[in-house]
Amino acid sequence: MGGKQSRSFSNKELNEVSVNRGRKCAGKDDQPSLSSAAERIRRHTTVHFGYSTLSLAMRALDEIPSELWELRELQKLNLSMNCLCSLPPALGALENLVILNLWGNNLSSLPAEISLLKKLRVLFACRNRLSEVPEELGSCTCLEVLSLANNQITGLPGSLAAMQNLTKLNLSHNRIAHIPTCVYSMKGLVFLHLACNRLETIADQIQDLVNLKILIVEGNSIHTLPKTLCFLESLELLNVDFNDLQNVPMEMYLLSRLGRLACHPLDKGLHIIHNPLLKPIQEVLQGGLSALYNYLKPT
């Protein structure tokens, strides 16, 4: 169910597209035109859950056949796990893209023309070599899911504050020392992943993310939690493990939806025991989350 299947697009066929493109320059009379070469790629698209889809994942590609950019009807494009170091400005021609997967390449930047992808809702650019994010990405205001994990990013441009439809943001395993200011403007965020960065603090503006249900900041150098964090009453998972916390805000008992102390990384609840907590908090936690909350509640 959900779509029409087609056979896999082989590396040999990709090479043939490139060869035919070169031959066209040598003699137009007996070689296919660029549009016919694009048509050969189009034959390998599928319709998956109503979306026009093309996967070129795991092809060891170091560049994309230029004919691909002619397929303007494409809605889902998977270029993951290749050897791409850059993407051309022509990416912007794929104006109907809804999902773009660039995971696991060698990209050092994203083209400014990504701003032309006005319908883009999901962008995976994790596990690349990105050191910055283009200002123009802020024009993709339909984005709902953005993953920039496992890169070399130190911050985000202020233009991303316009992403009011964003619900999931993954910035884990980067080089971020302060949560980017624009993040606090993303009022629709439900999931925020900042593990394994260089954070030392969380700003009071965290309280602006009123819809946040999952916040993961494990593996940083955070030494204190702001009391405003405790006003996020929708939080169901708060992971602050492996930081430098010695104490907790007195208002933490307000986070009633956490429910319990959690150990497994995917468990809902409060992940906090892997910190240099001082007495009496350390001892109180041995009785579980309810014991902590009872200790913190004013009498």
Side-chain angles (χ1 to χ4, degrees), residues 50-53 72-77 96-100:
Y51 292 100
S52 175
T53 303
R72 299 192 176 188
E73 74 278 10
L74 271 183
Q75 294 171 293
K76 296 173 67 175
L77 177 59
N96 289 301
L97 272 188
V98 175
I99 299 176
L100 176 58

Side-chain angles (χ1 to χ4, degrees), residues 56 86 96 115 140 208-209 220 262 292:
L56 297 179
S86 63
N96 289 301
S115 65
C140 300
D208 295 338
L209 302 181
N220 281 282
L292 175 65

Side-chain angles (χ1 to χ4, degrees), residues 45-180:
T45 62
T46 64
V47 177
H48 187 247
F49 293 106
Y51 292 100
S52 175
T53 303
L54 177 64
S55 177
L56 297 179
M58 297 186 288
R59 305 289 179 184
L61 299 174
D62 54 16
E63 64 177 352
I64 305 298
S66 60
E67 291 82 7
L68 171 63
W69 314 120
E70 296 181 38
L71 306 185
R72 299 192 176 188
E73 74 278 10
L74 271 183
Q75 294 171 293
K76 296 173 67 175
L77 177 59
N78 187 352
L79 297 172
S80 64
M81 300 187 71
N82 280 293
C83 305
L84 302 173
C85 293
S86 63
L87 293 172
L91 172 68
L94 302 183
E95 56 191 19
N96 289 301
L97 272 188
V98 175
I99 299 176
L100 176 58
N101 189 348
L102 304 172
W103 182 85
N105 280 281
N106 296 315
L107 298 172
S108 58
S109 64
L110 298 173
E113 288 75 11
I114 200 168
S115 65
L116 301 175
L117 306 182
K118 302 295 186 184
K119 298 180 182 179
L120 196 65
R121 296 210 306 262
V122 178
L123 174 59
F124 295 116
C126 38
R127 293 193 180 276
N128 277 281
R129 297 181 179 177
L130 300 175
S131 58
E132 59 182 9
V133 176
E135 189 86 21
E136 292 80 3
L137 185 61
S139 296
C140 300
T141 54
C142 288
L143 266 179
E144 298 172 8
V145 178
L146 175 59
S147 180
L148 297 167
N150 294 90
N151 279 287
Q152 301 165 18
I153 295 168
T154 58
L156 295 178
S159 63
L160 270 60
M163 292 183 175
Q164 295 301 302
N165 292 307
L166 201 67
T167 60
K168 296 181 180 180
L169 176 61
N170 190 343
L171 296 171
S172 62
H173 295 86
N174 275 287
R175 301 176 181 177
I176 298 171
H178 305 280
I179 298 178

Side-chain angles (χ1 to χ4, degrees), residues 228-264:
T228 56
L229 175 65
C230 305
F231 302 151
L232 298 179
E233 296 182 6
S234 294
L235 270 185
E236 298 175 358
L237 190 161
L238 174 59
N239 190 337
V240 294
D241 265 337
F242 302 106
N243 278 282
D244 296 327
L245 297 175
Q246 295 185 347
N247 215 325
V248 298
M250 294 296 293
E251 297 81 3
M252 182 164 275
Y253 70 90
L254 296 173
L255 298 175
S256 58
R257 293 197 182 185
L258 292 181
R260 60 172 180 166
L261 289 181
C263 295
H264 190 280

